[in-house]
Amino acid sequence: MAGSDSTASTALSTEPAAAPDTVKILVAGGFGVGKTTMVGAVSEIAPLRTEEPLTVAGLDVDDLKGIEEKRSTTVALDFGRITIGDDLVLYLFGTPGQQRFWFMWNDLAIGALGAVVLLDVRRPECSFAAIDFFERRGIPFVVAVNGFDGLHPYPTEEIKESLALPARVPVLLCDARERESCRDVLIALIDRLIEDVELRPSPAR
């Protein structure tokens, strides 16, 4: 019997663990709000980046007001991955911010369960298109206010009111350079996704 118990214990210990659930998340917002920085800061793998140097040819189409120090831009997407707990893995897709690349957003949004809209309060209008994009498609999102130089001059309630966001859309302060700060934003988005599922009416039988 002792041998049988030992065999059973060994069999149990060698059973493969269940594969974690995977969720596709978009990180969106305007040009230069910190999307590439956020994906790179929080990703547990070396992030895929498609950045190219800004050139003189783009001066007439790229608005660098307030971000004059910017030297490169995403021309396709950023990609990263982060594990949240033992049973959940998030795949992060950073969208390009310039208007001439917005046509890619539709393809990137396929299969996405939620999104983070990064906001720079110095240039909030840069992220209006992203907010509108997700609202129109019914994709749940949170707004993360990226504090450049670590500064957050406005409270979240004031930002939420100025954006005319529904009550169900969380607004959070973050630093796109800090892993823990970005992770907290992603957890808030997952909490919203779970809440939306719980509030969804049960299908009629």
Side-chain angles (χ1 to χ4, degrees):
M1 293 296 293
S4 298
D5 291 342
S6 176
T7 301
S9 175
T10 301
L12 287 173
S13 64
T14 57
E15 287 182 0
D21 291 327
T22 58
V23 176
K24 179 179 180 180
I25 299 297
L26 297 188
V27 179
F31 178 47
V33 297
K35 301 179 297 296
T36 297
T37 300
M38 180 178 191
V39 173
V42 78
S43 178
E44 64 197 17
I45 62 173
L48 168 68
R49 291 173 173 161
T50 58
E51 285 198 304
E52 294 293 339
L54 291 170
T55 65
V56 175
L59 291 178
D60 292 336
V61 290
D62 296 329
D63 183 4
L64 295 178
K65 184 178 180 180
I67 51 171
E68 290 82 4
E69 73 285 355
K70 188 171 178 59
R71 295 291 178 265
S72 62
T73 186
T74 299
V75 296
L77 60 91
D78 300 308
F79 175 77
R81 184 189 72 195
I82 179 173
T83 300
I84 304 290
D86 297 329
D87 57 354
L88 181 62
V89 175
L90 306 185
Y91 290 108
L92 308 176
F93 291 78
T95 65
Q98 294 137 297
Q99 186 172 356
R100 64 183 184 274
F101 296 129
W102 286 356
F103 68 91
M104 299 181 187
W105 290 16
N106 285 321
D107 288 338
L108 289 174
I110 295 173
L113 293 189
V116 174
V117 176
L118 272 179
L119 184 80
D120 178 357
V121 293
R122 302 171 303 177
R123 303 174 298 120
E125 69 282 355
C126 292
S127 294
F128 290 169
I131 292 173
D132 183 66
F133 179 87
F134 297 119
E135 285 183 337
R136 287 177 178 273
R137 286 158 182 78
I139 298 176
F141 66 95
V142 300
V143 173
V145 183
N146 187 16
F148 285 82
D149 299 320
L151 300 177
H152 287 288
Y154 305 105
T156 56
E157 296 81 4
E158 186 175 335
I159 296 170
K160 187 167 188 170
E161 183 178 354
S162 67
L163 295 174
L165 293 171
R168 67 182 182 279
V169 178
V171 175
L172 308 104
L173 304 179
C174 79
D175 187 332
R177 303 168 299 179
E178 299 294 333
R179 176 179 172 83
E180 291 301 316
S181 179
C182 298
R183 188 174 184 272
D184 289 345
V185 170
L186 294 171
I187 290 173
L189 175 59
I190 295 302
D191 287 343
R192 186 191 167 181
L193 295 178
I194 293 172
E195 181 180 340
D196 284 359
V197 170
E198 292 175 345
L199 294 176
R200 192 175 301 160
S202 301
R205 296 185 177 180

